[in-house]
Amino acid sequence: NAGVTQTPKFQVLKTGQSMTLQCAQDMNHEYMSWYRQDPGMGLRLIHYSVGAGITDQGEVPNGYNVSRSTTEDFPLRLLSAAPSQTSVYFCASSWGQYNSPLHFGNGTRLTVT
Amino acid sequence: SQQGEEDPQALSIQEGENATMNCSYKTSINNLQWYRQNSGRGLVHLILIRSNEREKHSGRLRVTLDTSKKSSSLLITASRAADTASYFCGGSNYKLTFGKGTLLTVNP
């Protein structure tokens, strides 16, 4: 049972480039979310989804797009990378939106130069 | 708005001692959750306490919740060097948001 899988583990981008961070879960979880973690800032919620076809914004959504075409996958897109998006990104999933613990992936470390 | 602010930011204790971390949140919640993060890894769920519960135990962990004060505490008893990690609390109504965490160091 793989759980939550994030790819790539590391990525370096130049300012203005675009890329997609992949997240897949094999637990048939309805709820998925993306966080970024920066030193001194803790984890901040970027976007989340309560099911296929449904997404919503979190605390820091600007500069990021998401879609949820299947239950398993929840990719995070950076359309035009900026140095301020240098961070560690975590994807998480859970059974439901309420009263369910989150299962986290091991993160993608992104550097934008 | 963040639904979890941990205190203290850092805590250093000796092996065998108890560690207590506190969490405050801002608005009403369905549940409060505690997670552990080892360096460079994803968060691992420790315990969830629902808004109608006041105390919950899991092994060496004890969590309390005071909804009138919008606060929670996590007690780790008989700490071990392997408990060294960052600990985060998150309050959930319909989305789970976290604070900056408490860095716990357990010295052998």
Side-chain angles (χ1 to χ4, degrees):
Chain A
N1 194 345
V4 178
T5 303
Q6 291 185 239
T7 56
K9 288 186 170 56
F10 301 94
Q11 183 71 48
V12 178
L13 290 178
K14 294 188 187 308
T15 297
Q17 287 185 317
S18 62
M19 79 158 295
T20 299
L21 279 64
Q22 302 291 345
C23 175
Q25 51 90 10
D26 61 359
M27 297 172 282
N28 203 30
H29 285 172
E30 288 296 323
Y31 182 86
M32 296 185 74
S33 53
W34 276 101
Y35 293 87
R36 61 177 289 174
Q37 185 174 31
D38 304 292
M41 297 297 292
L43 281 96
R44 292 181 290 171
L45 181 65
I46 305 172
H47 285 285
Y48 65 98
S49 169
V50 299
I54 306 169
T55 64
D56 206 348
Q57 297 180 348
E59 302 167 280
V60 288
N62 292 340
Y64 307 95
N65 279 354
V66 292
S67 60
R68 186 93 179 272
S69 57
T70 67
T71 299
E72 294 77 20
D73 301 299
F74 190 43
L76 179 72
R77 297 184 186 85
L78 284 71
L79 299 178
S80 179
S84 61
Q85 294 179 304
T86 293
S87 187
V88 182
Y89 292 85
F90 289 100
C91 178
S93 71
S94 66
W95 280 110
Q97 199 175 5
Y98 301 99
N99 295 324
S100 298
L102 286 173
H103 298 254
F104 279 81
N106 282 324
T108 293
R109 188 173 297 274
L110 175 67
T111 301
V112 183
T113 61
Chain B
S1 61
Q2 286 183 314
Q3 284 284 50
E5 291 292 340
E6 299 86 354
D7 175 71
Q9 291 186 350
L11 180 60
S12 181
I13 60 174
Q14 295 300 121
E15 213 166 21
E17 293 180 338
N18 295 341
T20 299
M21 287 160 269
N22 302 300
C23 170
S24 60
Y25 58 93
K26 295 178 182 176
T27 63
S28 63
I29 54 173
N30 288 314
N31 65 74
L32 190 128
Q33 303 181 32
W34 285 90
Y35 289 78
R36 183 187 73 214
Q37 184 182 35
N38 291 95
S39 181
R41 304 299 297 270
L43 275 68
V44 174
H45 179 259
L46 294 175
I47 195 165
L48 181 153
I49 184 166
R50 297 176 189 243
S51 59
N52 61 353
E53 298 175 309
R54 292 297 168 258
E55 187 171 312
K56 199 164 184 178
H57 296 255
S58 178
R60 294 185 296 113
L61 305 180
R62 172 177 169 260
V63 169
T64 61
L65 180 64
D66 187 335
T67 54
S68 66
K69 295 181 180 178
K70 293 187 172 57
S71 67
S72 173
S73 68
L74 171 67
L75 170 66
I76 304 173
T77 60
S79 63
R80 307 165 181 167
D83 294 329
T84 294
S86 291
Y87 292 81
F88 293 86
C89 70
S92 175
N93 37 33
Y94 58 93
K95 55 188 178 182
L96 190 60
T97 57
F98 295 93
K100 299 177 184 178
T102 292
L103 176 59
L104 173 65
T105 302
V106 181
N107 301 299

